[in-house]
């Protein structure tokens, strides 16, 4: 019998893991929307790796630790940094055409917290390019079965071991379940994350009894373009890496734009008390900006704004879950049979605040390490039992509860937190949870993760990294 691995999620972690697992196992890739829908597809800045002659592993390690307020696992940081270049090469071999400099070498850009230029990118649409290459490879692989528009509901456990996955279509019993469901940005009203990112995998793992860590460290990205009533749109940190300024309502620069994100976000947030804050790239030419940042340029053009002429209004928004389901360096969670990779995992790489462009890197490294580890496991019992689950459609009440939950999170678990705010936030989230029908799957998952974030934030009394408390 051949081993069967079920992977949940089709972001870069899930796709890369599927492709590598398919070398030795049959893979079922379950994803709740179309295969492209994920945070990965919207990633702009790029992937960090030591590739330049001026750079050193020790510098990337040092930058990662500094950004993470030294709350990181040093061993994990070291192995991720050292394994990075081989995965960039693997992506190139799969056909990803990273942007090149005028000499025909990889164009390395810079973002906040990096002491060197070390970020490979495809203009400002890196995630889309990597996803496309991985999707093409996965679609053509005879050992991978892709199941789109299939929501995973829960893990199946037998005697403290995860033995399968329940989805809206039924029960899949498999040799290993890999959660690659991404973060939980949707628990906030303002986020860069797409609507599918509702914390499902983290909530499933918590319900099953897996250990999670560092959930209080929610990273807020300092520069989203935001107009009231519209979904925020990320203005990549690479804009600042290439020289864009931040200006307050008086037109003055107020912060070193290339500090790690937590510091810049708080600084922008404070300036917003006095008025609008802007990104300013008017000192660069249209041809440079259009060529280097075509996605951002075109999005702003829809609102009749141009980077070379206009100040662009910005705001910090929820961006990244630094913690997650705790795993070892083979993707193993505390529950036998359950593996977690990508943003849903806590590997110890990011510490208290993730360094820019280290997330896609973490997805690649741990997808690969997990796939490798899975060659060691035996094939057991595999089968599928169909049982369709009918879920209620969102109605005014559930939409209202979702907004209520998001607003509680912005107030209580936002950029600046307090003991009183967190305490009342936990109570409010619990009250929302109590009123939910368990078949409101995503909303229930959001509430579970929201409560876990607030509880963790309440326990950590001192500010650290992107967890900032006034009392
Ligand atoms: P995702 O890419 O979020 O994929 C999760 C997948 O799981 C999706 O396919 C989703 O549909 C599926 N799923 C979720 N729940 C279920 C369920 N219940 N059942 C079935 N399927 C489910 N990081 C960088 O390193 N560099 C960058 O330049 C960068 N830019 C970014 C820009 C934006 C706008 C955003 C939002 C993030 C960015 N990040 C960047 C962060 C990075 O993109 C993410 O952390 C990373 O892509 C997460 O990948 P993932 O595979 O873990 O999860
Ligand atoms: C960005 O392009 O600013 C996002 C990069 C990241 O999240 O690492």
């Amino acid at each position: 019998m051949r081993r069967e691995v079920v992977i949940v999620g089709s972001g870069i972690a899930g796709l890369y893991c599927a492709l590598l697992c398919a070398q030795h196992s049959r893979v079922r890739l379950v994803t709740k929307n179309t295969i492209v829908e994920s945070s990965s597809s919207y990633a702009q800045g790029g992937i960090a790796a030591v590739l330049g002659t001026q750079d050193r592993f020790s510098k990337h390690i040092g930058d990662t630790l500094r950004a993470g307020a030294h709350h990181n696992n040093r061993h994990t940081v070291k192995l991720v940094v050292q394994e990075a270049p081989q995965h960039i090469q693997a992506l190139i071999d799969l056909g990803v055409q990273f942007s090149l400099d005028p000499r025909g070498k990889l164009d390395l850009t810079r973002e906040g917290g990096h002491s060197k230029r070390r970020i490979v990118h495809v203009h400002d649409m890196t995630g889309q390019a990597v996803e496309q290459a991985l999707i093409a490879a996965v679609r053509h692989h005879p050992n991978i079965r892709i199941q789109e528009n299939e929501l995973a509901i829960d893990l199946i456990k037998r005697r403290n071991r995860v033995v399968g996955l329940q989805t809206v279509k039924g029960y899949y019993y498999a040799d290993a379940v890999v959660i690659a469901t991404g973060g939980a940005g949707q628990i906030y009203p303002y986020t860069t994350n797409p609507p599918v990112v509702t914390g499902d995998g983290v909530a499933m793992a918590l319900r099953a009894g897996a250990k999670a860590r560092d959930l209080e460290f929610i990273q807020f990205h300092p520069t989203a373009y935001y107009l009231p009533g519209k979904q925020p749109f990320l203005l990549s940190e690479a804009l600042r890496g290439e020289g864009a300024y931040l200006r307050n309502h008086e037109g003055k620069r107020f912060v070193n734009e290339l500090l790690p994100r937590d510091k810049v976000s708080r600084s922008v947030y404070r300036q917003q008390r006095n008025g609008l804050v802007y990104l300013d790239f008017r000192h660069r030419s249209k041809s440079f900006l259009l060529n280097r940042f075509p996605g951002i340029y075109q999005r702003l053009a829809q609102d009749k704004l141009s980077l070379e002429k206009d100040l662009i209004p910005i705001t910090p928004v929820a961006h990244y879950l630094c913690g997650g389901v705790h795993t070892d360096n083979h993707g193993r969670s505390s529950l036998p049979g359950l593996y977690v990779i990508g943003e849903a995992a806590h590997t110890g790489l990011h510490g208290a605040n993730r360094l820019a462009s280290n997330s896609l890197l973490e997805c690649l490294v741990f997808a690969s390490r997990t796939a490798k580890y899975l060659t060691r496991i035996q094939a057991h019992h595999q089968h599928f039992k169909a049982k369709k689950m009918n879920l209620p459609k969102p109605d005014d009440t559930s939409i209202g509860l979702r907004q209520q939950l998001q607003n509680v999170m912005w107030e209580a678990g936002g950029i600046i937190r307090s003991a009183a705010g967190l305490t009342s936030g936990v109570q409010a989230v619990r009250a929302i949870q109590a009123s939910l029908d368990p078949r409101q799957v995503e909303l229930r998952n959001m509430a579970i993760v929201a409560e876990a974030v607030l509880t963790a934030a309440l326990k950590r009394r001192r500010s650290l990294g992107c967890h900032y408390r006034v009392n």
Side-chain angles (χ1 to χ4, degrees):
M1 194 196 293
R2 205 134 41 110
R3 211 179 291 114
E4 179 160 309
V5 178
V6 172
I7 299 176
V8 195
S10 55
I12 286 173
L15 292 169
Y16 196 52
C17 191
L19 202 57
L20 298 174
C21 281
Q23 293 172 3
H24 54 71
S25 302
R26 277 186 309 173
V27 177
R28 214 179 261 283
L29 183 69
V30 176
T31 192
K32 71 172 162 184
N33 202 286
T34 58
I35 193 165
V36 289
E37 230 7 73
S38 59
S39 285
S40 298
S41 285
Y42 299 96
Q44 296 181 358
I47 311 176
V50 173
L51 298 160
T53 49
Q54 305 292 308
D55 203 0
R56 298 275 174 276
F57 286 148
S58 57
K59 290 188 194 298
H60 190 182
I61 292 168
D63 293 345
T64 302
L65 293 171
R66 253 188 308 282
H70 296 270
H71 185 65
N72 327 54
N73 178 325
R74 277 172 174 272
H75 175 65
T76 305
V77 174
K78 197 169 161 207
L79 76 84
V80 171
V81 165
Q82 289 178 345
E83 290 176 16
Q86 76 195 57
H87 295 293
I88 303 300
Q89 187 56 51
L91 293 181
I92 294 170
D93 296 343
L94 278 168
V96 178
Q97 294 184 340
F98 289 110
S99 297
L100 302 177
D101 68 16
R103 296 165 305 153
K105 298 227 162 83
L106 285 173
D107 182 48
L108 301 176
T109 193
R110 191 167 172 188
E111 291 181 74
H114 287 275
S115 57
K116 290 283 167 193
R117 286 186 164 264
R118 66 165 71 95
I119 296 157
V120 291
H121 61 100
V122 182
H123 301 284
D124 59 351
M125 293 177 282
T126 311
Q128 187 186 319
V130 175
E131 278 263 326
Q132 276 171 3
L134 290 173
I135 289 170
V138 160
R139 282 206 195 281
H140 284 102
H141 206 295
N143 291 344
I144 302 176
R145 186 165 167 173
I146 301 165
Q147 299 180 191
E148 290 176 274
N149 300 307
E150 185 167 346
L151 180 74
I153 310 275
D154 253 320
L155 297 163
I156 310 171
K157 251 175 88 181
R158 282 226 185 103
R159 287 189 295 278
N160 206 38
R161 185 181 179 85
V162 171
V163 294
L165 178 78
Q166 180 195 359
T167 76
V168 278
K169 296 205 175 138
Y171 298 83
Y172 297 93
Y173 292 85
D175 301 306
V177 176
V178 181
I179 285 182
T181 50
Q186 286 294 325
I187 63 175
Y188 290 91
Y190 312 112
T191 177
T192 57
N193 295 190
V196 289
V197 184
T198 50
D200 297 356
V202 176
M204 281 191 271
L206 288 174
R207 275 199 296 275
K211 289 201 170 71
R213 278 199 197 160
D214 287 352
L215 292 174
E216 64 274 36
F217 299 111
I218 300 285
Q219 181 175 75
F220 294 84
H221 196 295
T223 58
Y225 165 60
Y226 176 64
L227 288 178
K230 288 199 180 174
Q231 197 43 34
F233 176 77
L234 182 70
L235 298 175
S236 175
E237 198 156 310
L239 287 159
R240 282 173 281 132
E242 297 296 341
Y245 303 139
L246 297 180
R247 295 195 185 277
N248 65 15
H249 71 292
E250 292 174 320
K252 292 197 179 116
R253 286 175 71 189
F254 55 89
V255 67
N256 170 357
E257 288 87 354
L258 287 178
L259 287 177
R261 265 180 210 166
D262 56 330
K263 297 191 171 72
V264 182
S265 283
R266 281 194 293 274
S267 193
V268 172
Y269 189 71
R270 289 195 184 103
Q271 289 292 331
Q272 283 179 315
R273 290 183 189 143
N274 306 318
L276 287 178
V277 179
Y278 303 93
L279 182 126
D280 180 8
F281 222 161
R282 294 171 300 171
H283 44 289
R284 290 304 298 258
S285 67
K286 177 175 179 178
S287 63
F288 167 78
L289 294 167
L290 191 51
N291 177 51
R292 176 63 185 82
F293 299 104
I296 292 171
Y297 198 94
Q298 278 151 23
R299 171 63 190 84
L300 293 174
Q302 287 172 16
D303 290 340
K304 303 200 169 19
L305 288 171
S306 43
L307 276 172
E308 80 279 10
K309 282 196 203 132
D310 297 305
L311 287 171
I312 313 296
I314 53 134
T315 187
V317 297
H319 184 61
Y320 187 80
L321 181 64
C322 298
V325 183
H326 181 61
T327 59
D328 68 6
N329 286 330
H330 306 290
R332 289 185 294 185
S333 74
S334 58
L335 283 180
L338 178 65
Y339 301 79
V340 185
I341 55 174
E343 193 171 332
H346 167 270
T347 63
L349 172 65
H350 308 307
N353 174 48
R354 172 174 69 88
L355 181 66
S357 287
N358 265 357
S359 171
L360 296 181
L361 175 59
E362 184 189 45
C363 289
L364 296 169
V365 169
F366 286 97
S368 161
R369 290 185 139 259
T370 302
K372 200 164 173 190
Y373 181 81
L374 290 176
T375 55
R376 299 191 204 168
I377 65 162
Q378 302 292 319
H380 283 290
H381 190 56
Q382 313 155 355
H383 70 276
F384 172 63
K385 199 167 109 203
K387 186 163 190 265
K388 205 163 176 289
M389 190 168 168
N390 289 319
L391 300 180
K393 292 227 156 31
D395 57 13
D396 287 350
T397 314
S398 66
I399 293 167
L401 284 171
R402 187 182 170 117
Q403 285 168 351
Q404 211 180 311
L405 177 84
Q406 292 172 326
N407 292 336
V408 169
M409 287 308 289
W410 193 254
E411 290 304 318
I415 297 171
I416 295 182
R417 301 159 173 185
S418 69
L422 288 164
T423 307
S424 63
V426 171
Q427 283 162 0
V429 170
R430 284 188 184 148
I432 293 171
Q433 264 192 58
S435 68
L436 294 177
D437 170 347
R439 291 177 312 141
Q440 291 171 301
V441 175
E442 288 175 314
L443 187 49
R444 181 165 78 123
N445 289 336
M446 287 167 63
I448 288 171
V449 177
E451 186 190 345
V453 168
L454 295 181
T455 311
L458 199 51
K459 272 199 198 133
R460 189 174 294 282
R461 290 167 185 230
R462 293 235 173 107
S463 299
L464 188 70
C466 53
H467 168 65
Y468 190 82
R469 276 184 63 160
V470 282
N471 61 45

